[in-house]
């Protein structure tokens, strides 16, 4: 998942119709550090009962019960655990290797491996479904390699479920009013927030048919902008 820590210095700017976050580069080392505080059995209490939080309705609507589901960029594997509890056949790939080792220490045998989701070591048409939550926004040059690889590894008729941060109307209004800016010296590119229109176009350009778009956790999206 894509999160930022409030105590870290952050600068946001609007560039080419996107909201750009400057923080720390989203390297494997960043994610190993980011997830380190959650790597304990207590973090999985809800996942071990099959809870899917924001994704309950879309997951149960779109994810197939037959065939293998990939969570590309699975973090500490919460949704891998929850979906397995629900009876789905799911595997996870995560870029941060120490995180993967720690997850396996908590859940020996959990089907989570370390890897690059822009270059998955699987044949074409491998997966019945592909889930990517808070991953594709972290490439400065854009999400194209993530989308292209998702398209390659999905079987015909497979479904991809992808989330990225939203450059929603409140954020766009704030940008027009000059509410973003600052000196990013010493910081690195961290992520984009995309407009619905732009990211929908990226998905279609990669060859997908767009079935649905929706937002979630709108309260956080507002709180982030008004300083709560």
């Amino acid at each position: 998942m894509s999160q930022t820590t409030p105590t870290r210095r952050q600068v946001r700017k609007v560039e080419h119709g996107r909201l750009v976050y400057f923080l720390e580069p989203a390297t494997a080392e960043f994610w190993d550090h980011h997830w380190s505080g959650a790597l304990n059995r207590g973090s999985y209490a809800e996942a071990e009962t099959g809870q899917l939080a924001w994704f309950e309705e879309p997951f149960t609507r779109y994810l197939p019960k037959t065939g293998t589901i990939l969570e590309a960029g699975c973090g500490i594997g919460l949704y891998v655990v929850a979906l397995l509890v629900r009876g789905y056949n799911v595997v996870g790939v995560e870029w941060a290797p120490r995180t993967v080792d720690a997850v396996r220490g908590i859940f020996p045998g959990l089907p989570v491996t370390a890897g690059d989701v822009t270059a998955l070591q699987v044949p074409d048409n491998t997966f019945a479904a592909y889930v990517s939550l808070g991953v594709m926004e972290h490439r400065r040059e854009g999400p194209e390699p993530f989308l292209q690889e998702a398209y390659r590894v999905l079987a015909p008729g497979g479904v991809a479920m992808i989330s990225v941060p939203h450059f929603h109307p409140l954020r766009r209004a704030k940008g027009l009013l000059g509410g973003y800016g600052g000196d990013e010296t010493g910081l690195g590119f961290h992520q984009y927030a995309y407009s619905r229109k732009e990211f929908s176009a990226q998905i279609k350009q990669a060859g997908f048919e767009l079935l649905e778009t929706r937002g979630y956790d709108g309260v956080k999206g507002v709180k982030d902008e008004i300083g709560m």
Side-chain angles (χ1 to χ4, degrees), residues 14-34:
V14 178
E15 294 181 0
H16 309 296
R18 301 173 182 174
L19 185 61
V20 188
Y21 291 65
F22 296 95
L23 181 67
E24 296 179 42
T27 61
E29 292 77 15
F30 170 87
W31 292 114
D32 278 328
H33 176 73
H34 175 83

Side-chain angles (χ1 to χ4, degrees), residues 46 50-59 79 82 86 216:
E46 294 182 354
Q51 294 187 47
L52 298 171
W54 299 107
F55 304 105
E56 173 75 28
E57 194 279 331
F59 277 15
Y79 292 111
R86 292 287 193 101
Y216 67 94

Side-chain angles (χ1 to χ4, degrees), residues 186-221:
L187 303 177
F189 170 80
H190 184 72
Q191 67 180 23
Y192 289 116
Y194 289 96
S195 70
R196 188 185 302 261
K197 179 179 179 181
E198 181 188 7
F199 202 76
S200 295
Q202 295 271 14
I203 287 170
K204 292 176 182 177
Q205 186 174 356
F208 292 99
E209 175 189 355
L210 185 61
L211 300 178
E212 180 183 355
T213 65
R214 64 171 71 185
Y216 67 94
D217 202 2
V219 172
K220 181 182 185 302

Side-chain angles (χ1 to χ4, degrees), residues 1-4 30-31 34-35 54-55 71 73-76 78-79 94 132-135 137-138 163 191 216:
M1 301 293 288
S2 177
Q3 299 175 335
T4 54
F30 170 87
W31 292 114
H34 175 83
W35 292 120
W54 299 107
F55 304 105
E71 185 181 2
C74 64
I76 64 172
L78 292 175
Y79 292 111
E94 169 55 39
S132 172
L133 305 175
V135 175
E137 66 269 22
H138 291 296
S163 79
Q191 67 180 23
Y216 67 94

Side-chain angles (χ1 to χ4, degrees), residues 25-190:
T27 61
E29 292 77 15
F30 170 87
W31 292 114
D32 278 328
H33 176 73
H34 175 83
W35 292 120
S36 60
L39 286 164
N40 58 80
R41 191 62 181 253
S43 296
Y44 296 86
E46 294 182 354
E48 288 188 275
T49 65
Q51 294 187 47
L52 298 171
W54 299 107
F55 304 105
E56 173 75 28
E57 194 279 331
F59 277 15
T60 55
R61 178 193 292 190
Y62 288 113
L63 293 182
K65 279 295 185 77
T66 58
T68 303
I69 300 163
L70 170 68
E71 185 181 2
C74 64
I76 64 172
L78 292 175
Y79 292 111
V80 175
V81 171
L83 288 169
L84 286 171
V85 169
R86 292 287 193 101
Y88 292 91
N89 180 16
V90 58
V91 299
V93 173
E94 169 55 39
W95 194 20
R98 292 202 304 274
T99 297
V100 171
D101 289 342
V103 169
R104 286 173 170 171
I106 299 169
F107 290 97
L110 191 73
V112 173
T113 58
D116 179 356
V117 298
T118 68
L120 294 162
Q121 302 302 303
V122 298
D124 296 355
N125 308 326
T126 293
F127 299 108
Y130 177 103
V131 176
S132 172
L133 305 175
V135 175
M136 297 188 182
E137 66 269 22
H138 291 296
R139 184 174 183 267
R140 182 57 154 147
E141 296 81 6
E144 292 84 355
F146 295 103
L147 291 167
Q148 290 164 4
E149 187 69 343
Y151 191 85
R152 181 187 74 81
V153 300
L154 268 175
V159 62
M161 303 184 68
I162 299 163
S163 79
V164 294
H166 188 194
F167 192 25
H168 53 65
L170 175 58
R171 286 175 172 158
R172 295 201 298 272
K174 185 174 177 178
L176 290 172
L177 294 171
Y180 299 116
D183 181 7
E184 70 266 30
T185 301
L187 303 177
F189 170 80
H190 184 72

